[in-house]
Amino acid sequence: MVRILLAIILPPLGVFLQVGLGLQFWLNIILTLFGYVPGIIHAVWIILRR
């Protein structure tokens, strides 16, 4: 629950706590830079998938 909340507030942090410094983390940073909402969607998807 805390990770999902962090994913909404700061998407890369939520992904980092879930998977570390991997491809998904860097992809989330790029998505967040292109738009906040795509970053949130990706972060929540990564957290719920694992």
Side-chain angles (χ1 to χ4, degrees):
M1 194 68 183
V2 173
R3 288 182 183 161
I4 292 175
L5 183 61
L6 285 173
I8 293 171
I9 296 170
L10 191 60
L13 180 60
V15 173
F16 174 75
L17 292 175
Q18 187 70 27
V19 297
L21 284 175
L23 175 66
Q24 297 298 327
F25 172 74
W26 295 109
L27 178 62
N28 189 266
I29 286 181
I30 292 170
L31 286 171
T32 303
L33 289 175
F34 283 136
Y36 190 67
V37 174
I40 291 173
I41 293 170
H42 179 256
V44 171
W45 179 69
I46 290 294
I47 291 169
L48 291 178
R49 187 178 67 153
R50 293 184 181 218

